[in-house]
Amino acid sequence: MYRYMLGVMLLAVALMSGCGRSTKSVRVEVPPAVEQIRMTLQPYADSGQLDSGVVALHDQIEALKADDPAKAATLESDLTELEGLKTPDKVKAKAQEMLGKL
């Protein structure tokens, strides 16, 4: 019984001690909303192919409203138009136009 209790106590100490406190905090800097929009739009301006990343544009434009509501409203309107375009050439042109407004 003594060995069993000793074993349980050693196991408990080992589990509680873990690997120590080696957790380091990492500071992550989020780019401004305009830069995020630019990084999301650029592939569409290059390829003319829309993908699921368009959903991220809605969130990024929403974030821009805090800094520049007028620009955000214009881009929001353009995004609605962009999503309705069918040909790659029109998508490229609209995405390039939106980039120009940033």
Side-chain angles (χ1 to χ4, degrees), residues 27-40:
R27 184 175 205 145
V28 177
E29 295 203 21
V30 178
V34 171
E35 200 54 42
Q36 290 180 24
I37 294 168
R38 183 175 283 117
M39 290 186 306
T40 304

Side-chain angles (χ1 to χ4, degrees), residues 41 54 57-58 61 74-84 94 98:
L41 273 175
V54 171
L57 275 173
H58 287 282
I61 291 172
T74 302
L75 290 172
E76 200 167 39
S77 173
D78 288 344
L79 179 57
T80 302
E81 187 179 331
L82 178 71
E83 291 175 311
K94 189 63 178 181
M98 290 174 73

Side-chain angles (χ1 to χ4, degrees), residues 38 41 71 75 93-102:
R38 183 175 283 117
L41 273 175
K71 187 182 289 187
L75 290 172
K94 189 63 178 181
Q96 196 62 46
E97 177 187 329
M98 290 174 73
L99 284 168
K101 294 178 181 179
L102 295 173

Side-chain angles (χ1 to χ4, degrees), residues 47-90:
S47 71
Q49 298 295 319
L50 295 179
D51 58 19
S52 61
V54 171
V55 175
L57 275 173
H58 287 282
D59 296 334
Q60 293 163 353
I61 291 172
E62 191 67 33
L64 181 62
K65 286 181 181 179
D67 297 330
D68 193 343
K71 187 182 289 187
T74 302
L75 290 172
E76 200 167 39
S77 173
D78 288 344
L79 179 57
T80 302
E81 187 179 331
L82 178 71
E83 291 175 311
L85 299 175
K86 303 294 182 206
T87 65
D89 288 337
K90 289 182 180 180

Side-chain angles (χ1 to χ4, degrees), residues 10-40:
L10 287 174
L11 181 62
V13 169
L15 289 175
M16 289 175 30
S17 67
C19 295
R21 293 183 185 239
S22 64
T23 308
K24 294 180 183 178
S25 62
V26 177
R27 184 175 205 145
V28 177
E29 295 203 21
V30 178
V34 171
E35 200 54 42
Q36 290 180 24
I37 294 168
R38 183 175 283 117
M39 290 186 306
T40 304

